[in-house]
């Protein structure tokens, strides 16, 4: 069996330090070079999702279900399409799980804006944006992996991210793809100390998902540490601007509902509050000690969370750059310590792609046969879990 050593970072470039400025007029050439370098990883990403869609289509046909509605119009997609078509509610209400102010605004606003200038329905526009965002995200995931561990590791990191058990969500009318795109390129900007780009990415992420605060924290910590070394107006601006999107939406909800805790009141109506992990531990005990035949999808969700904790420990052991550790650490804290619904938590962890970097590096050093076996197993498992999630599991992904 042959083994392949991972490519190293570019000569003379230390991960986590700022690259030399790009000469004027060279940005387009650098962009094309980066796209060519990422092309194999993007091809693998597409192959993983096409395989998953084909498996879903065959299974859906046997069950008399349509693939399009499942991907574009059901569960959270319906909420985003409702916001794109009719806007937000003006009151808190009394019904649980029925207030659309819980959903952040950037994705539905994009759907509404793009639908004005393109043919098709809001649903087709929303799904198109999600798929396009997933490709931008995959490129960013590769770029981060390539930046830190070389091209082979970047390729494997992108493939593993595509082949996560709930990876099919990346091609649904959800916000995970858009949020991961902002996350990947923002983290790359932080590693290069491009503070204004990082601040803009974090600000937009904060308008996309509640966990945008994790990305803002990563940018702020990195910028503050940079300020300790030397003063930079751009780094200071990043500290101030990174959380602006997240804070702006919370303030807007408070003004709309006429109460300072408006957004948190909405989250309580969705049973989403930080409870120190009490609900997570309760569900773990219930799943492993009280249920004789636990639901397969809940097992997948639980294992995803437990493996994520182990992978986070590995990233700390590997001394991953601090911005990545802060982002994944805060993301895990939010997911694990939430008292909210349990079954979407594997999906909530999708943007935490840096957790997969230790696996990618390990596979880059492994034999070709071992690497092929692991990737084939991951792709097959992802295809099955994704189809099961939409066709058998009765609740939202």
């Amino acid at each position: 069996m042959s083994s392949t050593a991972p490519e190293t970072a570019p000569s003379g470039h230390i991960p986590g330090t700022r690259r030399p400025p790009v000469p004027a007029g060279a940005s387009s050439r650098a962009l094309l070079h980066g796209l060519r370098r990422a092309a194999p990883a993007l091809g693998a990403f597409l192959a993983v999702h096409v395989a998953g869609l084909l498996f879903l289509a065959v299974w859906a046909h046997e069950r008399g279900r349509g693939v399009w509605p499942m991907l574009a119009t059901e569960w959270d997609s319906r909420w985003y399409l409702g916001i794109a078509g009719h806007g937000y509610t003006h009151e808190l209400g009394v019904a649980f799980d029925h207030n659309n102010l819980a959903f952040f605004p950037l994705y539905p606003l994009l759907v509404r804006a793009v639908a004005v200038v393109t043919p098709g329905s809001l649903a087709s526009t929303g799904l198109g944006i999600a798929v396009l965002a997933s490709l931008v995200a995959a490129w960013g995931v590769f770029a981060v992996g390539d930046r830190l561990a070389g091209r082979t590791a970047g390729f494997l990191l992108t493939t593993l991210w595509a082949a996560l058990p709930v990876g099919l969500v990346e091609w649904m009318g959800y916000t995970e793809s858009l949020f991961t795109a902002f996350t990947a390129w923002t983290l790359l900007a932080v590693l290069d100390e491009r503070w204004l780009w990082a601040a803009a990415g974090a600000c937009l992420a904060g308008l996309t998902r509640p966990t945008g605060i994790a990305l803002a924290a990563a940018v702020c910590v990195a910028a503050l540490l940079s300020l300790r070394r030397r003063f930079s107006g751009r780094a200071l601006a990043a500290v101030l601007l990174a959380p602006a999107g997240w804070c702006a939406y919370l303030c807007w909800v408070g003004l709309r509902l006429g109460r300072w805790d408006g957004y948190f009141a909405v989250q309580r109506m969705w049973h989403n509050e930080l409870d120190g992990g009490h609900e997570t531990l309760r569900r773990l005990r219930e799943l492993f000690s009280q249920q004789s035949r636990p639901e397969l999808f809940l097992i997948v969700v639980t294992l995803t969370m437990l493996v994520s904790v182990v992978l986070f420990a590995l990233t700390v052991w590997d001394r991953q750059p601090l911005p990545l550790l802060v982002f994944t650490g805060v993301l895990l804290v939010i997911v694990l310590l939430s008292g909210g619904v349990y079954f979407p938590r594997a999906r909530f962890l999708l943007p935490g792609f840096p957790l997969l970097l230790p696996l990618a590096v390990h596979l880059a050093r492994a034999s070709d046969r071992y690497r092929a076996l692991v990737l084939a197993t991951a792709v097959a498992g992802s295809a099955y879990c994704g189809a099961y999630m939409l066709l058998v599991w009765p609740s939202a992904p």
Side-chain angles (χ1 to χ4, degrees), residues 282-364:
R282 185 187 74 79
R283 295 303 295 263
L284 288 174
R285 287 195 300 268
E286 181 182 274
L287 190 66
F288 291 118
S289 64
Q290 299 176 16
Q291 296 183 6
S292 58
R293 297 183 64 183
E295 165 60 46
L296 174 62
F297 185 69
L298 294 181
I299 294 176
V300 170
V301 170
T302 301
L303 290 178
T304 299
M305 292 194 299
L306 295 177
V307 170
S308 295
V309 173
V310 174
L311 290 175
F312 180 73
L314 289 177
T315 62
V316 174
W317 178 266
D318 288 345
R319 297 182 179 180
Q320 204 171 86
L322 185 61
L324 277 65
L325 293 177
V326 171
F327 170 69
T328 52
V330 175
L331 181 67
L332 278 170
V333 166
I334 293 172
V335 172
L336 296 177
L337 301 190
S338 171
V341 287
Y342 187 79
F343 46 82
R345 297 191 188 192
R347 169 169 63 88
F348 295 163
L349 289 171
L350 270 178
F353 69 89
L355 294 170
L356 298 170
L357 190 56
L359 291 180
V361 171
H362 170 70
L363 287 177

Side-chain angles (χ1 to χ4, degrees), residues 6-303:
E7 296 183 27
T8 58
S11 176
H13 179 62
I14 302 173
T17 61
R18 188 164 68 95
R19 288 177 173 174
V22 178
S27 58
S28 59
R29 292 194 299 273
L31 186 67
L32 290 175
H33 172 74
L35 183 57
R36 285 195 298 269
R37 188 172 176 85
L42 295 178
F45 175 82
L46 288 171
V48 170
H49 280 299
V50 169
L53 279 182
L54 289 175
F55 186 83
L56 172 64
V58 171
W59 195 352
H61 178 73
E62 292 178 354
R63 296 176 69 96
R65 298 278 302 278
V67 172
W68 170 260
M70 289 186 291
L71 297 179
T73 65
E74 295 183 357
W75 303 112
D76 284 12
S77 300
R78 184 183 301 118
W79 284 100
Y80 288 118
L81 293 175
I83 295 168
H86 308 290
Y88 284 104
T89 184
H90 287 80
E91 56 188 27
L92 183 62
V94 295
F96 284 97
D97 304 341
H98 278 79
N99 193 304
N100 64 6
L101 288 166
F103 297 88
F104 276 50
L106 185 58
Y107 174 70
L109 287 176
L110 279 175
V111 172
R112 184 168 185 167
V114 175
V116 172
V117 296
T118 57
S121 63
L122 287 175
S124 62
T125 301
L127 187 57
I129 290 173
V131 171
L132 181 60
S134 76
L135 292 170
V136 177
W139 185 3
V141 169
F142 167 81
V144 172
D146 184 22
R147 171 78 156 75
L148 295 176
R151 190 179 188 184
T152 300
F155 172 88
L156 293 167
L157 179 63
T158 309
T159 307
L160 290 171
W161 181 67
L164 286 171
V166 295
L168 186 59
V169 171
E170 296 159 13
W171 276 16
M172 294 176 62
Y174 278 50
T175 58
E176 273 69 24
S177 291
L178 185 63
F179 183 74
T180 306
F182 288 134
T183 296
W185 290 102
T186 297
L187 290 176
L188 189 65
V190 171
L191 293 175
D192 290 339
E193 294 191 4
R194 297 175 180 173
W195 296 119
L196 295 184
W197 284 108
C203 186
L204 292 171
L207 290 168
T208 305
R209 290 197 58 77
T211 45
I213 193 61
L215 188 59
V219 174
C220 288
V221 168
L224 286 171
L225 290 177
S226 175
L227 286 171
R228 287 185 61 185
R229 297 192 302 268
R230 66 181 184 278
F231 178 79
S232 165
R234 294 186 176 188
L236 180 60
V239 174
L240 299 175
L241 295 176
W246 189 83
C247 293
Y249 182 65
L250 266 63
C251 292
W252 182 82
V253 173
L255 291 172
R256 193 171 183 85
L257 296 180
R259 50 187 296 177
W260 70 269
D261 66 338
Y263 176 76
F264 301 102
V266 170
Q267 287 297 326
R268 287 193 291 271
M269 298 298 289
W270 282 86
H271 312 278
N272 283 332
E273 293 181 276
L274 293 178
D275 67 353
H278 175 78
E279 175 65 12
T280 302
L281 293 175
R282 185 187 74 79
R283 295 303 295 263
L284 288 174
R285 287 195 300 268
E286 181 182 274
L287 190 66
F288 291 118
S289 64
Q290 299 176 16
Q291 296 183 6
S292 58
R293 297 183 64 183
E295 165 60 46
L296 174 62
F297 185 69
L298 294 181
I299 294 176
V300 170
V301 170
T302 301
L303 290 178

Side-chain angles (χ1 to χ4, degrees), residues 363-379:
L363 287 177
R365 295 169 177 165
S367 67
D368 293 340
R369 183 179 301 178
Y370 176 76
R371 186 188 308 126
L373 177 62
V374 170
L375 292 180
T377 302
V379 173

